[in-house]
Amino acid sequence: MSQLMQNSDDTQFVDFCKTTDYKGGVGQVTKFYIKADKVEEYKAFMAQHVARAVKEPGCISFSLHADYARSDVFWVTEEWDTPGAIVTHMNTEWFLNNFITTVPGFVEGNLQIGFYLLNAVEPESKKKDCHKKCSK
């Protein structure tokens, strides 16, 4: 049986990012349950948020994805090159004055959030012949 993916709350992860000696990349995946009448407004707002985030220093990737089964569920995936980069992102004027104040009006219920360290194992895909191996 599945369990919630929450492995930390925002405060614990931010504290980790502010105090860790870890120098590698970090990531976050968040599952948003959006009010049915707010889906289009949420998508428009998130298009602005994603466009800003991908331009920030240290952003490796930042994307909004639709759930395969529910039209009111969205997944945000983001990866940053260091813990400090995600902390900087969460302290931008846009994040504090727009994201934090606007998104709660779209959300129904609780978010599910998972935080992780990047590249715990060196992926095979980094090898030159990745496409040959991946297509088999």
Short mmCIF file of all heavy atoms in Angstrom, two decimals, residues 12 24 33 45-46 58 65 77 104 111 115:
data_model
loop_
_atom_site.label_atom_id
_atom_site.label_comp_id
_atom_site.label_asym_id
_atom_site.label_seq_id
_atom_site.Cartn_x
_atom_site.Cartn_y
_atom_site.Cartn_z
N GLN A 12 12.17 22.03 8.15
CA GLN A 12 13.30 21.11 8.33
C GLN A 12 14.23 21.15 7.11
O GLN A 12 15.45 21.17 7.25
CB GLN A 12 12.82 19.69 8.54
CG GLN A 12 12.15 19.47 9.88
CD GLN A 12 11.50 18.10 9.94
OE1 GLN A 12 10.90 17.63 8.99
NE2 GLN A 12 11.62 17.45 11.09
N GLY A 24 26.46 19.34 -2.95
CA GLY A 24 25.83 18.87 -4.18
C GLY A 24 24.46 19.48 -4.41
O GLY A 24 24.00 20.35 -3.66
N TYR A 33 -2.91 19.83 -4.89
CA TYR A 33 -4.33 19.55 -5.15
C TYR A 33 -5.02 20.91 -5.30
O TYR A 33 -5.08 21.69 -4.35
CB TYR A 33 -4.95 18.79 -3.99
CG TYR A 33 -4.32 17.43 -3.76
CD1 TYR A 33 -3.18 17.30 -2.96
CD2 TYR A 33 -4.86 16.30 -4.33
CE1 TYR A 33 -2.59 16.06 -2.75
CE2 TYR A 33 -4.29 15.05 -4.13
CZ TYR A 33 -3.15 14.95 -3.34
OH TYR A 33 -2.58 13.72 -3.13
N PHE A 45 -0.75 31.28 -13.29
CA PHE A 45 0.15 31.81 -12.27
C PHE A 45 1.46 31.02 -12.27
O PHE A 45 2.56 31.59 -12.22
CB PHE A 45 -0.49 31.76 -10.89
CG PHE A 45 0.43 32.23 -9.80
CD1 PHE A 45 0.58 33.58 -9.54
CD2 PHE A 45 1.17 31.31 -9.07
CE1 PHE A 45 1.47 34.01 -8.56
CE2 PHE A 45 2.05 31.74 -8.09
CZ PHE A 45 2.20 33.09 -7.83
N MET A 46 1.37 29.71 -12.33
CA MET A 46 2.56 28.87 -12.28
C MET A 46 3.43 29.04 -13.53
O MET A 46 4.65 28.90 -13.44
CB MET A 46 2.18 27.40 -12.07
CG MET A 46 1.69 27.12 -10.65
SD MET A 46 2.88 27.57 -9.34
CE MET A 46 4.19 26.38 -9.66
N GLY A 58 21.62 28.97 -10.22
CA GLY A 58 21.62 27.66 -9.57
C GLY A 58 20.45 26.77 -9.93
O GLY A 58 20.42 25.61 -9.52
N HIS A 65 3.91 19.88 -13.95
CA HIS A 65 3.40 18.72 -14.67
C HIS A 65 1.97 18.43 -14.26
O HIS A 65 1.63 18.54 -13.07
CB HIS A 65 4.25 17.48 -14.37
CG HIS A 65 5.71 17.71 -14.53
ND1 HIS A 65 6.33 17.65 -15.77
CD2 HIS A 65 6.68 18.00 -13.64
CE1 HIS A 65 7.62 17.89 -15.62
NE2 HIS A 65 7.85 18.11 -14.33
N THR A 77 8.32 19.94 -10.07
CA THR A 77 9.63 19.36 -9.82
C THR A 77 10.67 20.46 -9.99
O THR A 77 10.57 21.26 -10.92
CB THR A 77 9.94 18.20 -10.80
OG1 THR A 77 9.87 18.68 -12.14
CG2 THR A 77 8.96 17.06 -10.60
N PRO A 104 -1.82 29.60 -1.80
CA PRO A 104 -2.80 29.02 -0.87
C PRO A 104 -4.26 29.20 -1.33
O PRO A 104 -5.11 28.37 -1.02
CB PRO A 104 -2.53 29.76 0.44
CG PRO A 104 -1.07 30.08 0.35
CD PRO A 104 -0.84 30.44 -1.10
N LEU A 111 -0.50 19.95 0.75
CA LEU A 111 0.48 19.61 -0.27
C LEU A 111 1.22 18.36 0.19
O LEU A 111 1.32 18.09 1.38
CB LEU A 111 1.51 20.74 -0.42
CG LEU A 111 1.01 22.13 -0.71
CD1 LEU A 111 2.18 23.10 -0.76
CD2 LEU A 111 0.23 22.16 -2.01
N PHE A 115 11.71 15.94 -0.55
CA PHE A 115 13.00 16.60 -0.77
C PHE A 115 14.06 15.52 -0.97
O PHE A 115 13.98 14.45 -0.38
CB PHE A 115 13.39 17.46 0.43
CG PHE A 115 12.37 18.52 0.76
CD1 PHE A 115 11.51 18.35 1.83
CD2 PHE A 115 12.29 19.67 0.00
CE1 PHE A 115 10.57 19.33 2.13
CE2 PHE A 115 11.36 20.65 0.30
CZ PHE A 115 10.49 20.48 1.37
#
